[in-house]
Amino acid sequence: MAEQNAEMPQQQMTAEQQQKQQEQAQAQEEQRDATLRAILDSEARERLKRIAVVKPEKSRAIENYVIQSVKQGRMQPPISDSKLKSLLEAMQDQSGAGSNGPKITFARKVRDDDDW
């Protein structure tokens, strides 16, 4: 019985710690969103949202790059949709995603006809 009472505060503590971590993560995400709202114009934000639906990891990488670039002074806000498009194209060229993407090969059967 004493062991059960000793476990209860630990479970409460871990639950409180988890809640605190979730709150911190949510606060960081809100701060990130506010930063992106200040950096990107509305069309660029919409484009990133559409990318996030399909490829969340790519969207996150682009967001990180944009935030870092603005903080380091390599880009000046507001970043327009056309600037974001050129950035996406440059990132695609660097990664080689267009040329190294999945390829489909059709293996056609050769017919053995004597009539031809």
Side-chain angles (χ1 to χ4, degrees):
M1 191 104 160
E3 291 175 10
Q4 289 178 347
N5 290 338
E7 289 179 18
M8 287 294 283
Q10 288 178 349
Q11 289 175 348
Q12 287 177 345
M13 183 180 251
T14 57
E16 290 173 2
Q17 288 174 345
Q18 288 176 348
Q19 183 178 1
K20 189 175 183 179
Q21 287 176 347
Q22 288 175 348
E23 290 172 359
Q24 288 175 347
Q26 185 177 3
Q28 288 175 347
E29 196 63 33
E30 288 173 4
Q31 183 180 6
R32 179 185 184 83
D33 289 342
T35 303
L36 287 171
R37 268 183 266 137
I39 292 173
L40 300 170
D41 71 0
S42 61
E43 292 175 350
R45 281 196 313 271
E46 285 300 315
R47 183 172 298 278
L48 265 181
K49 286 179 185 177
R50 288 192 303 268
I51 292 171
V53 169
V54 179
K55 295 185 177 181
E57 64 282 347
K58 184 172 185 173
S59 173
R60 193 72 165 183
I62 295 165
E63 291 172 356
N64 290 338
Y65 181 79
V66 168
I67 290 171
Q68 286 178 344
S69 295
V70 169
K71 285 183 179 180
Q72 294 173 355
R74 290 184 284 170
M75 297 174 125
Q76 296 297 319
I79 296 174
S80 65
D81 186 48
S82 60
K83 177 68 177 170
L84 184 65
K85 282 183 196 177
S86 64
L87 177 65
L88 289 168
E89 289 171 357
M91 290 179 86
Q92 184 177 7
D93 290 343
Q94 285 178 354
S95 68
S99 61
N100 293 335
K103 294 183 181 181
I104 299 174
T105 316
F106 294 100
R108 304 215 185 256
K109 292 183 179 181
V110 178
R111 297 198 309 182
D112 188 26
D113 282 343
D114 292 335
D115 295 340
W116 291 93

